[in-house]
Amino acid sequence: MAVGLAAVSPAQAQEKPAVEQAAPQEDDSQAIVVTANKREQNLNDVGLSVTAIGSEALSERRITSVQDIAAAVPGLKFAESGAGTPIYTLRGIGFNEESLGVYPSVSVYTDEVPLPFPVLTLRSAFDLERVEALKGPQGTLFGQNATGGAINYIAAKPTNELSYGADISYGRFNAINGNAFISAPLGEKAGVRLAVTGADSDGWQRSLTRPGDRNGKQQYIAGRLTFTANPTETVRLRATLTAWQDKSQPQAAQLIAVRAQNPAAVQPGTLASPFGTTDPRSADWTTTSNYVVFKDPAKGDFSILPQTTGDLSPRSNRKFIQGALRADIDLGDVATLTSITSYLDFRQNLFSDKDGSAQAVANIGDGLANIHSFNQELRLASAGKGPLRWVIGANYENSKTFEDQGLTFANGSSSAPGTLFINTTGSEVLQRIRNYAFFANAEYGLTDKLTFKLGGRYTNSRNKAELCSKGNGDGLVSTLFNIIGGLSGNPFTPIGVNGCYVLNAKGVPGERLKNTLAEDNVSWRAGLDYKLNSDTLFFANVSRGYKAGSFPTLASADFKAYFPVTQESVTSYEAGFKASLADRMIQLNAAAFYYDYNNKQIRGKVVDPIFDVLDVLINVPKSKVLGAEAELTVRPTRGLTLGGSVTYLDSEVRAKNGSRFVGPTAYGNSCTTAAGAPGPCDFTGSELPFTPNWSYSLNLDYRAEVGSGSLIFGADLRGQSSSVSTLNGRTIQFRTLANDRNAPGIGQPFVIPAYATVDARLGYEFGDKRYKILAWGKNVFNKYFVTNAAHYLDTTVRFTGMPATYGITLSIKN
């Protein structure tokens, strides 16, 4: 599908690339070229649902982050997580998991170079030619882990002539943002482009208990260096180096409810009123925490001693670097051989506050992690323009992810005399992942109007994992679990201070859990395109895609919590059309789809004997998503473009073979025993997380010549109906028990309320389009809205969208 207002700029024009293949020539000056089929095509000739956003729209709408991309793509949702890992859901297909080393359901690429894990995508949206969002399973050409779709960032390329540009913005919260690029030829057969971006701002969250304390500051810098070369007429090379460092503060959770397993063990500060009275986005976060421990329980000395933690304030230091090399070699008039090789290194040190209070109930830090990933794609594509167009190829991936997560819960109910006042713990997850795949795709023109499409991919995956819940250095964890191991009656070697304590099937600690998840699958797609005329395309596709299984990151006393989820699959049935009407003044695109979901991966809950309610990963055997989507763009007069989109989704967990889905425990009236304790949950009939029935947008862009320049005005309205962040989200209502503390007016803590936001911009471009001044605002009416809600140990929390932000941008380009 063509995007509504993103199509306003003629071809979303960039400077002409140096030594790159030229895009297909089109009579329509407003044609958008995309690479959804791994070759350049006019968007209206692609028989898939695709949204494309061009460079001018990205710049003027201030689309600079993954949150902004999600807001601009119909059907795409972004959710914050307690660990700062983005969660993407496209048309109801997503994975609400925050662990660092898990694959997404919506894969992301830059120039077809994979960013295989969601955290790697945080600082990719700069110096772009366009963004392409492909909807529905894309397993045939883009591999597994694209059950929901694929997003491809198309970076700007080196130019044939010297060009440069820069902009600087100042806005609310003392925010300073800057972008700059320089591009130039290197002789007649090569070119280079350097682009940088960065931001620095104050925090936007206010502390409830510490006047003047702020959280949420932005601080990052990113750069991309690109070389292109045509050593011969048949060889095209492109080398890219991308790097960024992000020291931004993770959003602090907003406390909305407390339900403690042992209320007497929870410090009074946690039970304070969760919301501030004047600022709906006010929150709280832990700086330091006071707690108590036994002096030396290993020797029978149970004297209580006061302790203090170090600095637990939310903060991060993330570093990313990726190198990629692409080679395209024409093999006569028969085919083109393409090789894409990449390697990336990511490192993280993260402190985050997941409990929403000034006390340490569920705090992460140090959260140390690293990712190393090598990827290789080799493909051969037909070069002719006959009725048959084909591509065959292979992929190889070798990734290693490691997460060492420290958890502090000193002021929660898990830190109690019965557990020897355990106040911190840790977990390690190491995954060695190897994937290889072979794929083929073909399109055959049966007639001048009718095209048949068929493709498939075989994927083989292996994930070798080592998992460990470990002590924290003070000996309390090891002492407790050595006691538990002794009570089991089974012989074992007592664990040391930092030993792995998770209890195995015999009820004794000490083993580092090792497991291998080996899977394979065949993704496929078949479809028909019918070109009624040069302006109207009808398409119908049936496809299936897979998402690989993975292991969780958590600290649990029970080894069963570490079981992996197995691969999921989505079978999609979709039909739609793309029509240019009224001499191409109107663009109307629409599609209807049905997704048959098998073994959907999702976060569930389990009651741990030591640590209360924890997250685990589970498979939902059967579910479905039924939906429809439409986008309209109208250009009634020169300079004026109106656009809009609407997406409808109806999702549901379904019975499989007559059996209802009864899963792990969760809080709520439908999932508790008579005494109010968690019990088994019947999830059949529940809607899937982050699938609002309705989401919509309205856009306006206007340009008019005024004096020697152009006046620019634009506005965007985006909204959605209510959704949920977890299964049974609409039925979970905490009972009024002595250990409940709920925020006033919040009866359904896991419901994400409906909302709508408005962005606007006003500017002037002059000097033959070399200079521009733009005043802009996001969420200009300061709408309070929620992106996610979750339960961590004793607390239920929300994550919110940004408040109103506004500023001014000055830019220059040549």
Side-chain angles (χ1 to χ4, degrees), residues 123 197 219-223 243-248 316-320:
R123 299 300 169 198
T197 185
Q219 186 179 8
Y220 66 85
I221 187 169
W244 51 261
Q245 182 175 18
D246 190 348
K247 293 185 177 182
S248 302
S316 72
N317 188 0
R318 289 167 160 161
K319 298 178 181 179
F320 169 89

Side-chain angles (χ1 to χ4, degrees), residues 674-691:
C681 298
D682 185 352
F683 292 112
T684 311
S686 173
E687 67 186 281
L688 300 180
F690 310 118
T691 57

Side-chain angles (χ1 to χ4, degrees), residues 373-526:
S373 184
F374 170 82
N375 282 268
Q376 173 67 53
E377 177 169 315
L378 193 66
R379 67 177 188 255
L380 193 65
S382 61
K385 297 184 179 180
L388 178 63
R389 297 174 296 278
W390 52 266
V391 57
I392 58 173
N395 293 93
Y396 176 79
E397 175 191 352
N398 193 311
S399 294
K400 178 181 177 182
T401 72
F402 177 72
E403 196 165 2
D404 182 359
Q405 195 175 88
L407 175 64
T408 300
F409 49 90
N411 307 131
S413 65
S414 296
S415 179
T419 57
L420 305 187
F421 286 121
I422 291 178
N423 51 79
T424 63
T425 185
S427 65
E428 290 183 2
V429 178
L430 171 65
Q431 297 182 101
R432 295 182 176 91
I433 305 169
R434 187 272 298 144
N435 301 317
Y436 66 81
F438 304 97
F439 63 91
N441 191 70
E443 302 174 34
Y444 185 76
L446 300 173
T447 70
D448 290 341
K449 296 180 178 294
L450 186 63
T451 300
F452 174 67
K453 304 174 293 185
L454 181 66
R457 173 187 292 256
Y458 170 77
T459 302
N460 185 287
S461 302
R462 185 190 66 203
N463 186 342
K464 292 184 175 181
E466 296 183 19
L467 305 97
C468 172
S469 296
K470 62 180 184 177
N472 59 356
D474 61 11
L476 296 179
V477 175
S478 58
T479 298
L480 175 62
F481 280 87
N482 283 331
I483 293 173
I484 296 173
L487 295 175
S488 71
N490 295 305
F492 76 101
T493 301
I495 61 174
V497 171
N498 293 314
C500 296
Y501 63 75
V502 62
L503 303 175
N504 63 17
K506 296 180 179 180
V508 298
E511 293 184 19
R512 180 177 291 270
L513 300 176
K514 297 182 180 181
N515 198 351
T516 297
L517 182 63
E519 300 173 319
D520 65 350
N521 58 71
V522 176
S523 302
W524 50 266
R525 173 187 287 139

Side-chain angles (χ1 to χ4, degrees), residues 582-732:
D583 197 22
R584 304 190 181 184
M585 292 175 58
I586 299 174
Q587 180 71 42
L588 175 62
N589 306 313
F593 51 89
Y594 179 84
Y595 294 156
D596 185 4
Y597 220 156
N598 285 297
N599 292 320
K600 173 179 172 55
Q601 300 170 5
I602 201 168
R603 298 180 80 184
K605 298 289 183 180
V606 67
V607 177
D608 185 272
I610 302 298
F611 301 111
D612 196 7
V613 178
L614 299 178
D615 291 315
V616 292
L617 298 182
I618 61 175
N619 288 104
V620 179
K622 197 74 172 177
S623 54
K624 62 93 175 176
V625 180
L626 174 68
E629 193 172 80
E631 297 180 72
L632 175 68
T633 302
V634 181
R635 304 180 184 88
T637 62
R638 180 179 176 83
L640 176 62
T641 304
L642 305 173
S645 70
V646 60
T647 301
Y648 171 77
L649 299 174
D650 178 21
S651 66
E652 182 184 21
V653 174
R654 312 189 78 179
K656 184 174 184 179
N657 299 327
S659 299
R660 301 178 70 83
F661 176 51
V662 178
T665 59
Y667 279 125
N669 288 340
S670 63
C671 309
T672 58
T673 66
C681 298
D682 185 352
F683 292 112
T684 311
S686 173
E687 67 186 281
L688 300 180
F690 310 118
T691 57
N693 286 139
W694 296 98
S695 56
Y696 53 88
S697 68
L698 293 172
N699 316 105
L700 181 151
D701 267 305
Y702 179 69
R703 284 175 173 266
E705 293 184 5
V706 176
S708 60
S710 299
L711 178 69
I712 302 169
F713 173 75
D716 308 299
L717 168 69
R718 303 185 184 99
Q720 67 171 58
S721 60
S722 64
S723 62
V724 298
S725 64
T726 188
L727 297 182
N728 280 3
R730 297 192 186 277
T731 64
I732 297 176

Side-chain angles (χ1 to χ4, degrees), residues 778-799:
K778 291 186 176 183
N779 190 13
V780 293
F781 297 111
N782 202 31
K783 174 67 177 178
Y784 171 82
F785 64 99
V786 176
T787 66
N788 198 1
H791 181 86
Y792 300 109
L793 299 179
D794 297 323
T795 65
T796 301
V797 297
R798 280 178 169 175
F799 296 93

